[in-house]
Amino acid sequence: MKLFLSKDIKTDDKETVLLAILNGMYSTKQEYLITSIGLIGHEMTGRFLKTSIKRERVMINGVKEAMKSLIDKGVIEVIDQNNDDYVLSPKGLEVNTEKEHFVIVEQWEMQRIFERANKPFNVFSFFCCLLGTINSKTKEWHMSQDEMVIAWRYGKETINSYLEQLEEMQLIYIYRHKKRRTDGTYQKLNNSYGRYADKDSIIKAAQEYAESVECADFIEHIDRRAIKLRYNAYCNGAKKYKDNPDVVIALYKECELYNKSLKRNPVDGIYDGEWKQGEPLDLSVFPDYVVNGDPKVSDEADQWGETDSMENDILVEDNEPGVYEVQSDLAKETDSDLHSERVNPKAIENLELIDIESIFEDKPA
């Protein structure tokens, strides 16, 4: 069932959910709509809600609040009512797609949000706002979070939380650009986003968007200490990595970046009166399916945009010994004011020197 929402009517989060459901339930063939709080809850979640369950009781109360609010505002009109049962006129239940700006949401999308989101009314309303910005031709858009804060009055932490939840539900896909504008502002290029089903179109449009803006690769910070700690945990058999190929592959990629950065410019400095040099991680500890790639593993990593290329990256030494930042050739002149990643030399003090080329000699990556 498709749910139509008018962008011209100002509503709060709960009212947005209720109007979407009422629009889906109403048919122009009817003179009025007969419904109830229980039926609305079922359409909203895919099941009858129980007041004995706290989370579901909150949802029921939310629907009741939204119903009263929309009636009081005159957005919808009640013909008859008996407790939680309503007979509604068509007023406010239809969206004139020829005269109004509108958003279309699938009912299953709403139900998935109400199944998994921590604050489903709020997340659904945010989802509708986000969909309302997407270009219908390119299937994506690149509104900044600062603009979202101003337009929708959510805090940045809230926006990040909602975006993360919608990504995990695979309702949206985000292409994260790793470029910075060269117009003097040095601002990071806005992320491109759209519905998850339009992933391929989003990637294509995002790359075209990046080509249309004068920009350069920006500094990619690598927290070597954190990577080394995760690597040691994996070698010691941490439960996190057992039967979890996606996490293992993600760690392997981090370790590759770690080794590549050391190969180009090893960490060095004076510690305890002696020069110490960082040593690469032994990647032979990872199984073949990680090194060679497994097509059955999810492509979740793709949502971070293009694969990092460090062929042209360099390490730039900070004012303190043993402190480095990874910097792209294109960005090294414009982004020198960014902070460096701190590396704890003691974390790599006792490593054995490994010949990286020999690791891959018989195992093409």
Side-chain angles (χ1 to χ4, degrees), residues 216-243:
D217 294 339
F218 64 82
I219 296 174
E220 179 72 16
H221 296 289
I222 296 179
D223 189 344
R224 288 176 175 165
R225 180 175 178 275
I227 294 175
K228 182 67 190 314
L229 289 173
R230 287 193 286 272
Y231 172 82
N232 287 339
Y234 171 78
C235 293
N236 292 330
K239 293 182 180 179
K240 173 182 178 181
Y241 300 99
K242 292 182 179 179
D243 301 320

Side-chain angles (χ1 to χ4, degrees), residues 248-264:
V248 175
I249 288 176
L251 175 63
Y252 175 76
K253 291 180 179 179
E254 286 185 320
C255 294
E256 279 190 313
L257 293 179
Y258 182 105
N259 285 354
K260 287 180 181 179
S261 65
L262 288 179
K263 193 173 182 180
R264 286 161 177 76

Side-chain angles (χ1 to χ4, degrees), residues 159-183:
I159 289 174
N160 280 320
S161 172
Y162 293 172
L163 288 172
E164 181 179 347
Q165 291 181 63
L166 291 170
E167 278 188 283
E168 290 177 354
M169 297 177 210
Q170 292 194 343
L171 294 180
I172 64 171
Y173 175 84
I174 299 179
Y175 183 99
R176 291 173 170 84
H177 294 273
K178 296 186 177 180
K179 295 182 179 295
R180 194 174 298 278
R181 293 178 182 273
T182 56
D183 56 1

Side-chain angles (χ1 to χ4, degrees), residues 134-145:
I134 295 174
N135 186 306
S136 60
K137 294 182 179 179
T138 63
K139 305 299 182 182
E140 67 81 48
W141 196 241
H142 34 265
M143 189 176 186
S144 71
Q145 288 194 11

Side-chain angles (χ1 to χ4, degrees), residues 47-61 64:
R47 65 185 184 279
F48 284 111
L49 301 176
K50 300 177 180 179
T51 56
S52 59
I53 301 174
K54 182 179 179 180
R55 175 178 169 83
E56 297 186 4
R57 185 168 63 250
V58 170
M59 294 180 188
I60 293 171
N61 291 335
K64 289 181 178 181

